[in-house]
Amino acid sequence: MAARGRDESAVILDVPIIDQHYLSDPRNPSQPIVNTCGECCIAMCLDYLMPEKHITVDHVIKYALGAKYFDPEDPLRLYTSPANLIMIAQHYCETTISGQVTSSSPAEVLRKFIVDMRLPVILDVRSNFSRLGCSHFVVVRGVDANGDFVINDPWSRAELTTTGQIWVPEGGSYTLPFAEMDVAWNSHPDDVDRFYLVMATTSATSISLAARL
């Protein structure tokens, strides 16, 4: 495969990683809580957008549980749906932009948010970026010098070994080329292919984005 040219407009946003494996249920702190990838992604973006408010993932989980957007003890609400993730984001942010990317150049849509607007993007993908993975939220926070996307994943991280790429079961950050990423973004079990969610702190941002997408 031919080498890709270096991208002089590379941008990597300072979005922290949150590992969902070590979180507790606020209703019973001695118990772990599962299926919190969406809440982790919301908290990551809030830490980047408004660090002065100190909104933690525990705050987001407690709000989501209280609003019944998900409940790991309820088979009908085991995890947060894309629609409910939008509702959670709207509780914390003045402006949200969301939907399904239908552009013929979906990678460019992500680059506009990240590079032009300096905004991280939450995606609904399949876990471990596999065609067979389950529904999972991640944060895309950058485009590197090779044009690959930098991803914060609260559940797993990609690691290269001498025998190839493996997935390590702990939250982490890694890069993927868009073609590999799109395999899991554009074949989704929830029938919401290429779902995205962006949070912003001013309404002016949404007007600018709407004019450019």
Side-chain angles (χ1 to χ4, degrees), residues 1-6 144-148 176-178:
M1 183 173 66
R4 288 165 296 178
R6 292 182 64 82
D144 72 9
N146 294 317
D148 294 338
L176 287 178
F178 180 77

Side-chain angles (χ1 to χ4, degrees), residues 111-127:
R111 287 189 179 94
K112 283 183 178 180
F113 282 121
I114 296 164
V115 176
D116 296 351
M117 305 304 299
R118 297 300 198 269
L119 294 172
V121 187
I122 298 174
L123 302 187
D124 191 8
V125 300
R126 288 181 181 266
S127 58

Side-chain angles (χ1 to χ4, degrees), residues 154-201:
W155 179 254
S156 60
R157 60 181 174 83
E159 185 174 287
L160 288 176
T161 69
T162 55
T163 58
Q165 180 174 282
I166 62 171
W167 290 92
V168 179
E170 63 182 31
S173 188
Y174 51 86
T175 60
L176 287 178
F178 180 77
E180 185 175 343
M181 190 172 77
D182 199 40
V183 166
W185 190 30
N186 195 31
S187 60
H188 201 270
D190 287 338
D191 295 324
V192 283
D193 291 349
R194 289 181 178 152
F195 170 85
Y196 72 95
L197 168 62
V198 175
M199 294 184 288
T201 54

Side-chain angles (χ1 to χ4, degrees), residues 55-167:
I55 301 170
T56 69
V57 66
D58 292 331
H59 293 135
V60 179
I61 291 172
K62 186 174 182 179
Y63 170 73
L65 287 169
K68 300 189 183 303
Y69 289 133
F70 91 111
D71 186 341
E73 297 178 357
D74 183 344
L76 299 180
R77 297 197 306 272
L78 288 175
Y79 61 90
T80 304
S81 67
N84 283 343
L85 197 71
I86 295 169
M87 299 296 289
I88 296 170
Q90 290 174 342
H91 174 74
Y92 291 104
C93 258
E94 178 181 346
T95 300
T96 63
I97 308 100
S98 62
Q100 292 176 254
V101 175
T102 58
S103 165
S104 59
S105 302
E108 291 306 312
V109 173
L110 296 180
R111 287 189 179 94
K112 283 183 178 180
F113 282 121
I114 296 164
V115 176
D116 296 351
M117 305 304 299
R118 297 300 198 269
L119 294 172
V121 187
I122 298 174
L123 302 187
D124 191 8
V125 300
R126 288 181 181 266
S127 58
N128 294 351
F129 285 88
S130 163
R131 290 186 186 276
L132 302 177
C134 60
S135 178
H136 183 51
F137 293 108
V138 298
V139 177
V140 184
R141 68 179 181 96
V143 182
D144 72 9
N146 294 317
D148 294 338
F149 287 90
V150 182
I151 297 161
N152 275 14
D153 189 330
W155 179 254
S156 60
R157 60 181 174 83
E159 185 174 287
L160 288 176
T161 69
T162 55
T163 58
Q165 180 174 282
I166 62 171
W167 290 92

Side-chain angles (χ1 to χ4, degrees), residues 4-75:
R4 288 165 296 178
R6 292 182 64 82
D7 184 354
E8 297 303 325
S9 62
V11 169
I12 299 177
L13 305 176
D14 188 18
V15 179
I17 183 67
I18 296 174
D19 189 334
Q20 72 184 87
H21 292 87
Y22 304 103
L23 301 177
S24 299
D25 190 328
R27 301 167 299 185
N28 185 358
S30 66
Q31 296 296 317
I33 192 167
V34 296
N35 300 340
T36 57
C37 57
E39 288 70 26
C40 287
C41 289
I42 292 285
M44 290 185 219
C45 292
L46 290 173
D47 190 274
Y48 168 76
L49 291 168
M50 48 184 78
E52 72 284 355
K53 293 195 173 182
H54 305 290
I55 301 170
T56 69
V57 66
D58 292 331
H59 293 135
V60 179
I61 291 172
K62 186 174 182 179
Y63 170 73
L65 287 169
K68 300 189 183 303
Y69 289 133
F70 91 111
D71 186 341
E73 297 178 357
D74 183 344

